[in-house]
Short mmCIF file of all heavy atoms in Angstrom, two decimals:
data_model
loop_
_atom_site.label_atom_id
_atom_site.label_comp_id
_atom_site.label_asym_id
_atom_site.label_seq_id
_atom_site.Cartn_x
_atom_site.Cartn_y
_atom_site.Cartn_z
N GLU A 1310 59.91 10.88 -43.65
CA GLU A 1310 59.49 10.34 -42.36
C GLU A 1310 58.96 11.45 -41.45
O GLU A 1310 57.97 11.25 -40.76
CB GLU A 1310 60.67 9.63 -41.70
CG GLU A 1310 60.29 8.91 -40.43
CD GLU A 1310 61.46 8.13 -39.86
OE1 GLU A 1310 62.05 7.32 -40.59
OE2 GLU A 1310 61.77 8.36 -38.68
N LYS A 1311 59.61 12.62 -41.46
CA LYS A 1311 59.15 13.75 -40.64
C LYS A 1311 57.76 14.21 -41.10
O LYS A 1311 56.91 14.54 -40.28
CB LYS A 1311 60.14 14.90 -40.71
CG LYS A 1311 61.42 14.65 -39.98
CD LYS A 1311 62.32 15.85 -40.04
CE LYS A 1311 63.63 15.56 -39.34
NZ LYS A 1311 64.52 16.72 -39.38
N PHE A 1312 57.54 14.21 -42.39
CA PHE A 1312 56.25 14.60 -42.93
C PHE A 1312 55.15 13.66 -42.43
O PHE A 1312 54.07 14.10 -42.05
CB PHE A 1312 56.28 14.61 -44.46
CG PHE A 1312 54.94 14.86 -45.07
CD1 PHE A 1312 54.38 16.13 -45.08
CD2 PHE A 1312 54.19 13.81 -45.61
CE1 PHE A 1312 53.13 16.37 -45.62
CE2 PHE A 1312 52.94 14.03 -46.15
CZ PHE A 1312 52.41 15.32 -46.16
N LEU A 1322 45.30 15.13 -33.56
CA LEU A 1322 44.91 16.31 -32.77
C LEU A 1322 43.69 17.04 -33.33
O LEU A 1322 42.99 17.72 -32.58
CB LEU A 1322 46.08 17.28 -32.66
CG LEU A 1322 47.24 16.84 -31.79
CD1 LEU A 1322 48.33 17.89 -31.79
CD2 LEU A 1322 46.78 16.56 -30.37
N ALA A 1323 43.43 16.91 -34.60
CA ALA A 1323 42.33 17.65 -35.24
C ALA A 1323 40.98 17.44 -34.56
O ALA A 1323 40.27 18.42 -34.30
CB ALA A 1323 42.26 17.32 -36.72
N PRO A 1324 40.58 16.21 -34.26
CA PRO A 1324 39.27 16.04 -33.61
C PRO A 1324 39.20 16.72 -32.23
O PRO A 1324 38.17 17.31 -31.88
CB PRO A 1324 39.12 14.53 -33.46
CG PRO A 1324 40.04 13.96 -34.47
CD PRO A 1324 41.17 14.93 -34.61
N VAL A 1328 36.60 19.84 -31.19
CA VAL A 1328 35.69 19.82 -30.03
C VAL A 1328 35.93 21.05 -29.16
O VAL A 1328 34.98 21.72 -28.75
CB VAL A 1328 35.87 18.52 -29.22
CG1 VAL A 1328 35.18 18.62 -27.87
CG2 VAL A 1328 35.36 17.33 -30.00
N LEU A 1334 32.85 28.17 -29.05
CA LEU A 1334 31.88 28.84 -29.91
C LEU A 1334 30.48 28.78 -29.31
O LEU A 1334 29.77 29.78 -29.25
CB LEU A 1334 31.88 28.19 -31.30
CG LEU A 1334 30.78 28.66 -32.25
CD1 LEU A 1334 31.09 30.05 -32.77
CD2 LEU A 1334 30.64 27.67 -33.40
N LYS A 1337 30.11 30.97 -26.17
CA LYS A 1337 29.99 32.38 -26.57
C LYS A 1337 28.63 32.66 -27.19
O LYS A 1337 28.02 33.71 -26.94
CB LYS A 1337 31.12 32.74 -27.55
CG LYS A 1337 31.26 34.20 -27.76
CD LYS A 1337 31.67 34.88 -26.47
CE LYS A 1337 31.93 36.35 -26.69
NZ LYS A 1337 32.08 37.06 -25.45
N ILE A 1339 25.74 31.20 -26.54
CA ILE A 1339 24.73 31.27 -25.48
C ILE A 1339 24.93 32.52 -24.64
O ILE A 1339 23.95 33.19 -24.26
CB ILE A 1339 24.73 29.99 -24.63
CG1 ILE A 1339 24.32 28.78 -25.46
CG2 ILE A 1339 23.83 30.14 -23.40
CD1 ILE A 1339 22.95 28.87 -26.09
N ASN A 1341 26.14 35.39 -25.65
CA ASN A 1341 25.63 36.50 -26.46
C ASN A 1341 24.11 36.51 -26.48
O ASN A 1341 23.48 37.57 -26.41
CB ASN A 1341 26.17 36.43 -27.88
CG ASN A 1341 27.63 36.80 -27.96
OD1 ASN A 1341 28.18 37.43 -27.06
ND2 ASN A 1341 28.28 36.38 -29.02
N MET A 1347 18.31 38.47 -24.55
CA MET A 1347 17.48 38.35 -23.36
C MET A 1347 17.74 39.47 -22.34
O MET A 1347 17.13 39.50 -21.28
CB MET A 1347 17.70 36.98 -22.69
CG MET A 1347 17.32 35.80 -23.59
SD MET A 1347 15.61 35.84 -24.14
CE MET A 1347 14.76 35.61 -22.61
N TYR A 1349 20.18 40.11 -20.21
CA TYR A 1349 20.78 39.81 -18.91
C TYR A 1349 22.05 40.62 -18.74
O TYR A 1349 22.77 40.88 -19.72
CB TYR A 1349 21.13 38.32 -18.80
CG TYR A 1349 19.96 37.43 -18.48
CD1 TYR A 1349 19.36 36.67 -19.46
CD2 TYR A 1349 19.48 37.34 -17.18
CE1 TYR A 1349 18.29 35.84 -19.17
CE2 TYR A 1349 18.41 36.52 -16.88
CZ TYR A 1349 17.82 35.77 -17.87
OH TYR A 1349 16.76 34.95 -17.57
N ILE A 1353 25.10 38.61 -13.67
CA ILE A 1353 24.13 37.64 -13.14
C ILE A 1353 24.43 36.22 -13.63
O ILE A 1353 23.94 35.25 -13.07
CB ILE A 1353 22.68 38.05 -13.47
CG1 ILE A 1353 21.72 37.34 -12.51
CG2 ILE A 1353 22.32 37.75 -14.90
CD1 ILE A 1353 20.34 37.93 -12.49
N GLN A 1355 26.56 33.30 -13.57
CA GLN A 1355 27.63 32.77 -12.71
C GLN A 1355 28.59 31.90 -13.52
O GLN A 1355 29.80 32.01 -13.37
CB GLN A 1355 27.02 31.96 -11.57
CG GLN A 1355 28.04 31.39 -10.62
CD GLN A 1355 27.37 30.72 -9.44
OE1 GLN A 1355 26.45 31.27 -8.85
NE2 GLN A 1355 27.83 29.53 -9.11
N ILE A 1357 29.01 29.54 -17.46
CA ILE A 1357 28.55 28.98 -18.72
C ILE A 1357 29.59 27.94 -19.11
O ILE A 1357 30.78 28.26 -19.22
CB ILE A 1357 28.45 30.05 -19.83
CG1 ILE A 1357 27.40 31.10 -19.48
CG2 ILE A 1357 28.12 29.40 -21.17
CD1 ILE A 1357 27.32 32.23 -20.48
N GLU A 1358 29.13 26.71 -19.30
CA GLU A 1358 30.07 25.64 -19.63
C GLU A 1358 29.45 24.71 -20.66
O GLU A 1358 28.38 24.15 -20.44
CB GLU A 1358 30.41 24.86 -18.36
CG GLU A 1358 31.38 23.74 -18.59
CD GLU A 1358 31.66 22.95 -17.33
OE1 GLU A 1358 30.88 23.02 -16.36
OE2 GLU A 1358 32.67 22.24 -17.32
N CYS A 1359 30.14 24.56 -21.75
CA CYS A 1359 29.68 23.64 -22.80
C CYS A 1359 30.19 22.24 -22.50
O CYS A 1359 31.35 22.06 -22.11
CB CYS A 1359 30.18 24.11 -24.16
SG CYS A 1359 29.50 23.13 -25.53
N HIS A 1362 29.52 15.10 -25.53
CA HIS A 1362 29.46 13.66 -25.33
C HIS A 1362 29.59 12.99 -26.69
O HIS A 1362 28.84 13.30 -27.61
CB HIS A 1362 28.15 13.26 -24.66
CG HIS A 1362 28.13 11.84 -24.21
ND1 HIS A 1362 27.75 10.82 -25.04
CD2 HIS A 1362 28.48 11.28 -23.04
CE1 HIS A 1362 27.85 9.68 -24.38
NE2 HIS A 1362 28.29 9.93 -23.17
N VAL A 1373 24.17 26.49 -17.88
CA VAL A 1373 24.24 27.87 -17.38
C VAL A 1373 23.72 27.89 -15.95
O VAL A 1373 22.67 27.33 -15.65
CB VAL A 1373 23.41 28.82 -18.27
CG1 VAL A 1373 23.42 30.23 -17.69
CG2 VAL A 1373 23.93 28.82 -19.69
N SER A 1376 23.72 33.63 -10.91
CA SER A 1376 24.16 33.93 -9.54
C SER A 1376 23.00 34.08 -8.56
O SER A 1376 23.17 33.82 -7.37
CB SER A 1376 25.03 35.19 -9.52
OG SER A 1376 24.31 36.29 -10.01
N VAL A 1381 20.36 25.91 -9.45
CA VAL A 1381 19.68 25.43 -10.64
C VAL A 1381 20.62 25.50 -11.84
O VAL A 1381 21.29 26.50 -12.06
CB VAL A 1381 18.40 26.25 -10.93
CG1 VAL A 1381 17.71 25.76 -12.20
CG2 VAL A 1381 17.44 26.18 -9.75
N TYR A 1383 20.59 25.34 -15.87
CA TYR A 1383 19.77 25.43 -17.07
C TYR A 1383 20.56 24.82 -18.23
O TYR A 1383 21.76 25.10 -18.38
CB TYR A 1383 19.42 26.88 -17.40
CG TYR A 1383 18.46 27.50 -16.40
CD1 TYR A 1383 18.92 28.12 -15.25
CD2 TYR A 1383 17.10 27.45 -16.62
CE1 TYR A 1383 18.04 28.68 -14.34
CE2 TYR A 1383 16.21 28.01 -15.72
CZ TYR A 1383 16.69 28.62 -14.59
OH TYR A 1383 15.81 29.17 -13.69
N ASN A 1389 20.39 25.12 -32.71
CA ASN A 1389 19.32 25.78 -33.44
C ASN A 1389 19.35 27.28 -33.17
O ASN A 1389 19.02 27.72 -32.08
CB ASN A 1389 17.97 25.19 -33.02
CG ASN A 1389 16.82 25.76 -33.81
OD1 ASN A 1389 16.96 26.70 -34.56
ND2 ASN A 1389 15.65 25.17 -33.61
N LYS A 1390 19.75 28.06 -34.14
CA LYS A 1390 19.89 29.50 -33.94
C LYS A 1390 18.55 30.19 -33.72
O LYS A 1390 18.51 31.31 -33.23
CB LYS A 1390 20.60 30.13 -35.14
CG LYS A 1390 22.04 29.71 -35.25
CD LYS A 1390 22.73 30.38 -36.42
CE LYS A 1390 24.16 29.91 -36.50
NZ LYS A 1390 24.90 30.56 -37.56
N ILE A 1401 21.09 21.20 -8.37
CA ILE A 1401 22.33 20.57 -7.95
C ILE A 1401 22.08 19.57 -6.83
O ILE A 1401 22.70 18.52 -6.77
CB ILE A 1401 23.35 21.65 -7.54
CG1 ILE A 1401 23.73 22.45 -8.79
CG2 ILE A 1401 24.57 21.05 -6.88
CD1 ILE A 1401 24.57 23.66 -8.56
N LEU A 1406 11.86 21.06 -9.20
CA LEU A 1406 11.19 22.34 -9.30
C LEU A 1406 10.39 22.38 -10.59
O LEU A 1406 10.84 21.91 -11.63
CB LEU A 1406 12.20 23.49 -9.32
CG LEU A 1406 13.11 23.65 -8.10
CD1 LEU A 1406 14.15 24.72 -8.35
CD2 LEU A 1406 12.28 24.00 -6.87
N LYS A 1415 12.00 30.30 -19.50
CA LYS A 1415 10.96 30.89 -20.33
C LYS A 1415 10.46 29.80 -21.27
O LYS A 1415 11.25 29.12 -21.91
CB LYS A 1415 11.53 32.05 -21.14
CG LYS A 1415 10.53 32.69 -22.07
CD LYS A 1415 11.18 33.80 -22.88
CE LYS A 1415 10.20 34.29 -23.91
NZ LYS A 1415 10.79 35.21 -24.85
#
Side-chain angles (χ1 to χ4, degrees):
E1310 186 175 306
K1311 288 183 183 181
F1312 174 75
L1322 290 179
V1328 168
L1334 172 74
K1337 193 64 175 169
I1339 295 301
N1341 288 341
M1347 299 302 293
Y1349 281 103
I1353 200 165
Q1355 181 174 314
I1357 297 176
E1358 181 182 18
C1359 186
H1362 190 272
V1373 176
S1376 59
V1381 179
Y1383 291 88
N1389 184 351
K1390 292 182 181 183
I1401 294 172
L1406 299 174
K1415 178 182 173 188

